[in-house]
């Protein structure tokens, strides 16, 4: 079989006896199936475009409108606005046939007018964000206006079942804040970080900017906000991600962890096959747009633009700037194992079943061949400096077998790494979980293809993880797919129908459930044998790779990572304290950082702006005047518990307001970033912008979202949740902290820092988080104190 796949699909030779034609039937059949699949996908995309183009209406309403319009016209009555009469002079005749055509054209005009009116009305309705600021506390009710708004939105959007991209044309543009509002919010956020003299200097810089060059820069941004779908996203992607020349590994890529609280009885090959099959099925759901868009409160849509590039996507290195390359289709994945790369065909008339993929994985695991020269550590090039990788790619991978093999990797649906070490979690030995996270974040520095949209990683004991590139999308999108994959795998381990019955909650999920039944009915096929990729890397190329390995090892040696599991309490207690869980944890992080460093620092928290078209993220600044006052009160024995609770609640309210503002397009940092980009285009220097954008984010935080699918009832299956994921520190002397609220009673914190900094220590910071969470809880459960006495 392997020899057959390595053969040329079609060849001929001329001999003295005539033509000698040879062809490989299996390869030609694969080509034929690929063509059929391509045309099916084109047709599906066309139908999806029609569906999304007329959403929220149904296409069949056009035919009904045509029939009614024709009936009215031929009955002797006038169609509204007498459209048929107005259309007829434009047609070459007036016989019955042309009158019918005129009626149909008039009907289409009326129908399109109604549809575009509905779409525009829906866009205007979605501009309203007042519902975001209303209390969601238990027992609270929305205002009368919001109730009416929800009803009207449901009327305009509830006519049809939405597909993944159905709401894209109805989502509003990200609003551009007024310059004065952004400056006011910025100065307020900077107040707790500056002493009196420095704050007055910053006020002067801000005033000069607002009344000077800022006015001109704002005018250009106004034009961009009118012209573009989103005035931030394209510049953010280009200047923050693609123009960055530093290594992706640790500095940009992030990782995700398995459901570690659940045991897995599958081996490496079986778990890999199950996860690969799930990824491929969800790729098909994305391509067919059958994955329903995320709707907040079941009604307000989030932008789905980023989902398009989950699969078949690679970041291509460039000398000055990279580019994101997305292919419309791919019928293979690439698997890395013990220094060898394999092309694995995953489509043979249909997506291969898990047991068929498992056969391919076992072939790779049992292959005793050695890596080719330079092959084992090749991916270190993707871990290093981008310009170095771009030069090496141009010189050594631009022709011949190296180009063919590199194209195979870059055009793959995704990359799979079969690690030769276990991914372990042991509550009695926390260092195993730390090692788990480090393995996913960077591995050996050469066993993840850091340019791919994501690399699926499988430990030798069958546990899963992923490493994802960041430029193509934000972590919430990858977390959504990851949640689907893990839930999928969990359900496969539960074969009884009773469990399946209450796991799936919507029509799409019912269809996915049926696919397992269909898989059981489909006859197995002999899967194509994995093909080793070929390489021809000379000594100078190998030297470049070894240099990249040294660079990657230096980055790895400088990284420290601690995954802290907090199981003393979780979201359940926070809700009893009547505090937003996210605000609660951000206050704990502020307290921990203050105790760790003895000062406050600029803090970054990521929030989404996907309520708007092509929205990505905005920065929330958790270090506020209110939070700093509360933090100081926690170590002041003169302040009573009652006063501390009041200060914390005020800090949480301020934080929640800042988060809501960020989601609603009223953030600070993206606006200032775009003003800075305009200033660079105009070659104008702004002392204010240079000062603001040079400030390091010493505490960079992010909450890992979950529950985006609604597929698993965590009350019944509390352990079926990922342990979240993490990323490297943003500042050399700072921390990177990612956290996930894993159900009602467990929290995971992924804390990273650089060993080269003598100011940071992730293990020490984890202890401060533990103490901060304990102190906050005791503040709410202990009897109130007056003047420091019980």
């Amino acid at each position: 079989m392997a020899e057959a796949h390595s053969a040329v699909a079609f060849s001929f030779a001329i001999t003295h006896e005539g033509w000698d034609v040879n062809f490989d039937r299996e390869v030609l059949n694969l080509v034929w199936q690929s063509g059929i699949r391509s045309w099916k996908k084109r047709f599906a995309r066309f139908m999806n475009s029609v569906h999304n183009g007329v959403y929220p209406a149904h296409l069949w309403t056009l035919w009904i409108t045509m029939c009614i319009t024709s009936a009215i016209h031929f009955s002797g009555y006038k169609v509204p606005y007498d459209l048929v009469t107005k259309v007829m002079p434009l047609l070459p005749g007036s016989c019955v046939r042309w009158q019918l055509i005129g009626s149909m054209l008039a009907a289409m005009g009326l129908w399109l007018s109604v549809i575009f009116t509905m779409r525009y009305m829906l866009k205007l309705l979605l501009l309203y964000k007042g519902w975001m600021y209303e209390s969601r506390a238990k027992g609270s009710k929305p205002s009368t206006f919001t109730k009416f708004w929800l009803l009207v939105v449901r009327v305009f959007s509830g006519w049809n079942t939405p597909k993944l991209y159905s709401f894209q044309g109805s989502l509003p543009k990200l609003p551009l804040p007024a310059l004065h509002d952004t400056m006011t919010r910025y100065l307020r956020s900077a107040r707790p970080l500056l002493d009196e003299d420095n704050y007055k200097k910053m006020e002067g810089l801000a005033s000069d900017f607002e009344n000077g060059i800022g006015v001109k820069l704002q005018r250009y941004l106004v034009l961009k906000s009118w012209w573009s779908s989103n005035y931030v996203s394209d510049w953010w992607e280009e200047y923050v991600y693609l123009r960055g020349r530093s290594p992706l590994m640790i500095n940009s890529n992030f990782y995700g962890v398995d459901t570690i609280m659940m045991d897995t009885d599958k081996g490496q090959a079986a778990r890999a096959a199950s996860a690969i099959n799930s990824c491929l099925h969800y790729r098909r759901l994305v391509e067919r747009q059958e994955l329903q868009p995320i709707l907040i409160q079941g009604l307000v849509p989030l932008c789905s633009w980023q989902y398009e590039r989950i699969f078949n996507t690679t970041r291509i290195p460039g000398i000055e700037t990279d580019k994101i390359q997305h292919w419309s289709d791919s019928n293979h994945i690439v698997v890395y194992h013990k220094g060898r790369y394999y092309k694995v065909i995953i489509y043979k008339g249909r997506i291969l079943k898990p047991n068929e993929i498992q056969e391919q994985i076992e072939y790779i695991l049992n292959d005793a061949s050695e890596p080719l020269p330079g092959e084992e550590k090749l991916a270190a090039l993707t871990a290093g400096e981008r310009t170095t990788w771009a030069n090496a790619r141009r010189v050594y991978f631009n022709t011949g077998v190296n180009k063919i093999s590199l194209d195979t990797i870059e055009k793959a649906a995704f990359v799979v790494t079969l690690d030769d070490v276990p991914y372990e979690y042991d509550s009695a030995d926390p260092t195993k979980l730390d090692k788990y996270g480090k393995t996913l974040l960077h591995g050996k520095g050469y066993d993840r293809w850091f340019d791919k949209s994501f690399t699926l990683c499988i430990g030798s004991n069958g546990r899963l993880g992923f490493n994802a590139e960041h430029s193509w999308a934000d972590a919430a999108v990858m977390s959504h797919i990851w949640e689907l994959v893990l839930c999928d795998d969990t359900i496969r381990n539960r074969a009884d129908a009773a469990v399946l019955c209450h796991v799936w909650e919507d029509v799409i999920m019912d269809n996915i459930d049926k696919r397992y039944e269909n898989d059981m009915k489909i006859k197995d096929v002999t899967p194509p044998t994995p093909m080793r990729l070929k390489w021809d890397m000379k000594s100078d190329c190998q030297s470049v790779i070894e240099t990249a390995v040294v660079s990657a090892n230096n980055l790895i040696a400088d990284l420290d990572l601690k995954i802290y599991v907090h199981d003393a309490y979780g979201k359940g207690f926070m809700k009893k304290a009547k505090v937003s869980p996210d605000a609660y944890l951000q206050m704990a992080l502020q307290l921990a950082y203050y105790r760790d460093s003895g000062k406050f620092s600029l803090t970054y928290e990521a929030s989404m702006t996907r309520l708007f078209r092509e929205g990505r993220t905005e920065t929330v600044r958790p270090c506020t005047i209110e939070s700093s006052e509360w933090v100081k009160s926690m170590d002041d024995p003169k302040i009573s518990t009652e006063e501390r609770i009041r200060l914390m609640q005020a800090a949480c309210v301020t934080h929640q307001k800042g988060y809501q503002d960020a989601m609603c397009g009223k953030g600070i940092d993206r606006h200032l970033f775009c003003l800075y980009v305009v200033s660079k285009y105009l070659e104008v220097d702004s002392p204010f912008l240079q000062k603001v954008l040079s400030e390091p984010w010493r505490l960079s935080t992010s909450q890992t979202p979950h529950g985006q699918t609604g597929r698993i009832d965590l009350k019944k299956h509390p352990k079926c949740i990922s342990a979240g994921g993490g990323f490297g520190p943003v500042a050399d002397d700072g921390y990177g902290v990612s956290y996930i609220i894993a159900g009602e009673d467990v929290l995971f914190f992924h804390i990273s820092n650089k060993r080269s900094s003598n100011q940071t220590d992730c293990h020490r910071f984890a202890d401060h988080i533990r103490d901060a969470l304990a102190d906050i809880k005791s503040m709410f459960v202990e009897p109130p104190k007056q003047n420091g006495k019980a």
Side-chain angles (χ1 to χ4, degrees):
M1 179 67 74
E3 290 77 12
H5 280 287
S6 300
V8 177
F10 180 83
S11 63
F12 69 91
I14 302 176
T15 66
H16 64 279
E17 297 179 353
W19 295 85
D20 183 16
V21 180
N22 295 307
F23 59 88
D24 188 312
R25 291 179 180 272
E26 186 170 358
V27 176
L28 290 180
N29 181 60
L30 287 175
V31 173
W32 168 259
Q33 292 291 343
S34 178
I36 294 296
R37 182 163 169 258
S38 177
W39 281 105
K40 285 182 178 179
K41 293 182 69 172
R42 290 182 185 181
F43 179 74
R45 289 193 184 103
F46 171 77
M47 294 305 296
N48 286 333
S49 297
V50 173
H51 179 280
N52 295 336
V54 303
Y55 188 85
H58 289 271
L59 185 60
W60 53 261
T61 58
L62 172 61
W63 317 126
I64 293 178
T65 305
M66 286 182 174
C67 292
I68 293 175
T69 303
S70 299
I72 292 174
H73 174 70
F74 285 105
S75 298
Y77 296 98
K78 289 185 178 181
V79 174
Y81 305 107
D82 200 17
L83 286 179
V84 178
T85 303
K86 294 176 180 178
V87 168
M88 289 307 299
L90 303 177
L91 300 178
S94 59
C95 62
V96 173
R97 182 181 65 181
W98 286 112
Q99 289 189 49
L100 180 61
I101 293 174
S103 299
M104 294 174 68
L105 291 174
M108 181 173 289
L110 287 171
W111 183 73
L112 289 174
S113 298
V114 172
I115 284 178
F116 284 110
T117 299
M118 290 178 61
R119 288 168 68 91
Y120 189 72
M121 287 297 297
L122 185 57
K123 180 178 288 190
L124 291 177
L125 287 168
L126 293 177
L127 278 171
Y128 171 69
K129 296 295 184 291
W131 61 275
M132 283 282 296
Y133 296 90
E134 294 184 4
S135 174
R136 294 185 181 85
K138 188 176 182 181
S140 61
K141 296 181 180 180
S143 64
T144 303
F145 183 85
T146 297
K147 287 181 180 179
F148 176 75
W149 173 80
L150 288 169
L151 177 63
V152 177
V153 171
R154 188 175 298 278
V155 169
F156 276 94
S157 62
W159 289 23
N160 201 349
T161 302
K163 290 184 177 291
L164 185 60
Y165 305 125
S166 291
F167 285 104
Q168 293 303 100
S170 300
L171 288 172
K173 291 184 178 182
L174 181 68
L176 177 65
L179 184 59
H180 176 73
D181 293 345
T182 296
M183 302 305 293
T184 301
R185 282 192 283 263
Y186 170 76
L187 288 174
R188 196 176 195 284
S189 72
R191 187 65 189 92
L193 306 174
L194 303 173
D195 57 29
E196 194 65 34
D197 291 339
N198 286 321
Y199 182 71
K200 287 182 178 179
K201 291 179 182 178
M202 181 58 75
E203 277 188 317
L205 289 174
S207 178
D208 292 343
F209 175 76
E210 182 180 349
N211 299 310
I213 189 62
V215 177
K216 181 178 180 180
L217 302 181
Q218 179 77 354
R219 290 197 192 106
Y220 281 96
L221 269 191
V222 169
L223 290 175
K224 188 174 190 291
S225 68
W226 289 348
W227 178 255
S228 58
S229 299
N230 188 298
Y231 79 94
V232 175
S233 292
D234 56 340
W235 284 352
W236 186 255
E237 183 176 292
E238 179 179 359
Y239 293 107
V240 173
Y241 292 115
L242 299 182
R243 284 186 180 267
R245 300 293 84 198
S246 59
L248 300 183
M249 184 185 74
I250 297 175
N251 294 322
S252 179
N253 285 28
F254 59 94
Y255 69 88
V257 179
D258 202 354
T259 51
I260 60 172
M261 293 183 289
M262 295 186 67
D263 295 326
T264 176
D265 55 358
K266 292 183 178 180
Q268 186 176 26
R271 193 83 192 280
S274 175
I276 291 169
N277 177 264
S278 294
C279 287
L280 296 174
H281 276 288
Y282 291 115
R283 182 180 71 155
R284 185 169 66 180
L285 288 180
V286 171
E287 290 173 342
R288 295 180 177 181
Q289 299 186 29
E290 293 174 354
L291 190 66
Q292 290 190 3
I294 295 178
L295 303 176
I296 298 179
Q297 295 186 346
L299 198 62
V300 184
L302 297 184
C303 178
S304 302
W305 161 67
Q306 298 177 57
Y307 284 78
E308 182 181 359
R309 301 186 292 188
I310 296 176
F311 302 97
N312 321 332
T313 300
T314 301
R315 176 169 169 169
I316 306 296
I319 302 300
E320 295 182 354
T321 181
D322 297 351
K323 66 177 181 179
I324 300 175
Q325 184 69 56
H326 173 73
W327 289 269
S328 61
D329 192 19
S330 178
N331 69 341
H332 73 278
I333 60 173
V334 166
V335 178
Y336 177 90
H337 176 60
K338 290 187 175 180
R340 304 156 302 174
Y341 288 91
Y342 298 82
K343 178 180 180 180
V344 178
I345 302 297
I346 38 78
Y347 191 89
K348 193 172 182 181
R350 56 171 172 79
I351 295 174
L352 294 182
K353 294 162 58 177
N355 62 304
E356 295 162 349
I357 298 175
Q358 182 176 345
E359 186 177 331
Q360 296 173 308
I361 299 300
E362 288 173 344
Y363 173 90
I364 294 172
L365 292 173
N366 295 329
D367 187 0
S369 62
E370 294 294 323
L372 295 172
E375 181 182 17
E376 180 181 10
K377 300 179 180 180
L378 170 62
L381 292 171
T382 69
E385 297 286 339
R386 302 305 292 170
T387 301
T388 303
W389 170 212
N391 286 324
R393 189 176 188 275
R394 176 178 54 84
V395 175
Y396 304 112
F397 299 91
N398 202 34
T399 59
V401 295
N402 288 348
K403 177 176 173 55
I404 294 173
S405 295
L406 181 61
D407 283 348
T408 301
I409 295 174
E410 292 179 340
K411 294 179 180 178
F414 51 91
V415 170
V416 176
T417 293
L418 302 173
D419 275 330
D420 52 5
V421 295
Y423 301 165
E424 296 178 297
Y425 167 62
D426 184 353
S427 58
D429 185 1
T431 60
K432 290 184 178 180
L433 188 56
D434 301 341
K435 183 180 178 182
Y436 190 166
K438 285 175 66 68
T439 300
L440 293 176
L441 181 58
H442 53 65
K444 299 175 182 177
Y446 55 77
D447 52 358
R448 281 99 177 87
W449 199 267
F450 295 100
D451 286 357
K452 283 301 290 185
S453 55
F454 72 94
T455 299
L456 180 63
C457 307
I458 299 93
S460 59
N461 59 345
R463 287 214 178 272
L464 300 176
F466 72 82
N467 181 288
E469 203 276 317
H470 209 330
S471 64
W472 62 272
D474 300 310
V477 176
M478 190 64 211
S479 297
H480 186 187
I481 294 299
W482 190 238
E483 185 178 330
L484 291 168
V485 171
L486 294 182
C487 291
D488 213 355
D489 191 67
T490 300
I491 291 161
R492 287 183 179 178
N493 283 332
R494 294 175 168 83
D496 61 290
V499 174
L500 290 174
C501 184
H502 62 249
V503 167
W504 308 114
E505 295 187 6
D506 53 45
V507 176
I508 294 297
M509 295 306 120
D510 286 338
N511 290 336
I512 297 173
D513 185 21
K514 291 176 183 176
R515 91 168 183 244
Y516 300 130
E517 299 177 12
N518 294 333
D519 280 350
M520 298 299 294
K521 298 176 183 177
I522 296 174
K523 184 179 180 181
D524 288 354
V525 298
T526 302
T529 303
M531 296 173 281
R532 277 287 303 274
L533 299 188
K534 298 179 179 180
W535 306 95
D536 181 20
M537 287 178 271
K538 307 301 182 185
S539 59
D540 53 345
C541 179
Q542 294 178 42
S543 297
V544 173
I545 294 173
E546 287 300 325
T547 301
V549 171
V550 172
S551 176
N553 287 337
N554 291 335
L555 286 172
I556 293 171
D558 195 29
L559 177 81
D560 201 2
L561 178 70
K562 169 67 179 178
I563 302 179
Y564 168 55
V565 183
H566 181 83
D567 54 6
Y569 68 93
K571 183 172 64 174
F573 175 79
M574 299 174 198
K575 290 188 293 186
K576 290 180 181 178
K578 298 181 180 180
V579 175
S580 159
D582 181 72
Y584 188 106
L585 294 179
Q586 283 293 334
M587 293 307 106
L589 291 175
Q590 287 297 306
L591 179 58
Y593 186 86
Y594 185 76
R595 289 173 172 176
D596 182 77
S597 63
K599 61 182 179 181
F600 296 106
S601 181
L602 190 61
T603 306
Y604 180 106
E605 182 187 6
S607 75
M608 66 170 183
T609 55
R610 288 170 57 200
L611 290 169
F612 304 95
R613 189 169 185 177
E614 297 181 15
R616 292 200 60 162
T617 60
E618 177 58 274
T619 303
V620 182
R621 296 182 168 219
C623 185
T624 61
I625 296 172
E626 291 78 7
S627 69
S628 62
E629 289 178 353
W630 168 76
V631 167
K632 292 176 182 177
S633 76
M634 290 299 289
D635 293 326
D636 187 348
K638 297 179 181 179
I639 298 180
S640 67
T641 299
E642 186 177 31
E643 177 65 9
R644 289 172 183 169
I645 292 175
R646 186 193 68 78
L647 290 172
M648 180 176 175
Q649 289 174 338
C652 289
V653 168
T654 300
H655 178 270
Q656 192 73 359
K657 175 68 163 50
Y659 202 99
Q660 292 162 342
D661 283 345
M663 288 185 64
C664 296
K666 300 176 184 177
I668 300 168
D669 293 277
R670 297 302 179 268
H671 186 195
L672 295 178
F673 162 76
C674 289
L675 290 169
Y676 180 75
V677 173
V678 175
S679 74
K680 287 301 179 182
Y681 275 121
L682 297 178
E683 298 182 348
V684 176
D685 289 331
S686 168
F688 170 75
L689 290 177
Q690 290 177 350
K691 176 70 175 175
V692 171
L693 291 157
S694 64
E695 296 170 346
W697 300 97
R698 290 192 174 89
L699 181 56
S700 181
T701 71
S702 178
Q703 180 181 172
T704 302
H706 67 87
Q708 298 185 79
T709 64
R711 294 178 55 190
I712 291 290
D713 187 345
L714 290 178
K715 292 182 179 179
K716 298 178 180 178
H717 308 287
K719 295 183 178 181
C720 184
I721 188 170
S722 167
F727 50 87
V730 174
D732 291 340
D733 57 349
Y735 292 107
V737 182
S738 176
Y739 54 93
I740 183 170
I741 303 172
E744 296 294 312
D745 302 307
V746 181
L747 308 168
F748 289 94
F749 293 86
H750 300 247
I751 311 162
S752 63
N753 74 285
K754 291 189 176 183
R755 298 178 188 272
S756 56
S757 170
N758 57 13
Q759 301 175 37
T760 55
D761 183 329
C762 59
H763 303 276
R764 183 183 71 212
F765 193 67
D767 291 339
H768 284 305
I769 292 176
R770 179 199 61 208
D771 295 342
L773 289 170
D775 289 348
I776 296 173
K777 182 179 180 180
S778 65
M779 182 178 70
F780 281 99
V781 298
E782 287 181 356
K785 297 179 181 180
Q786 299 293 336
N787 299 322
K789 297 181 180 180

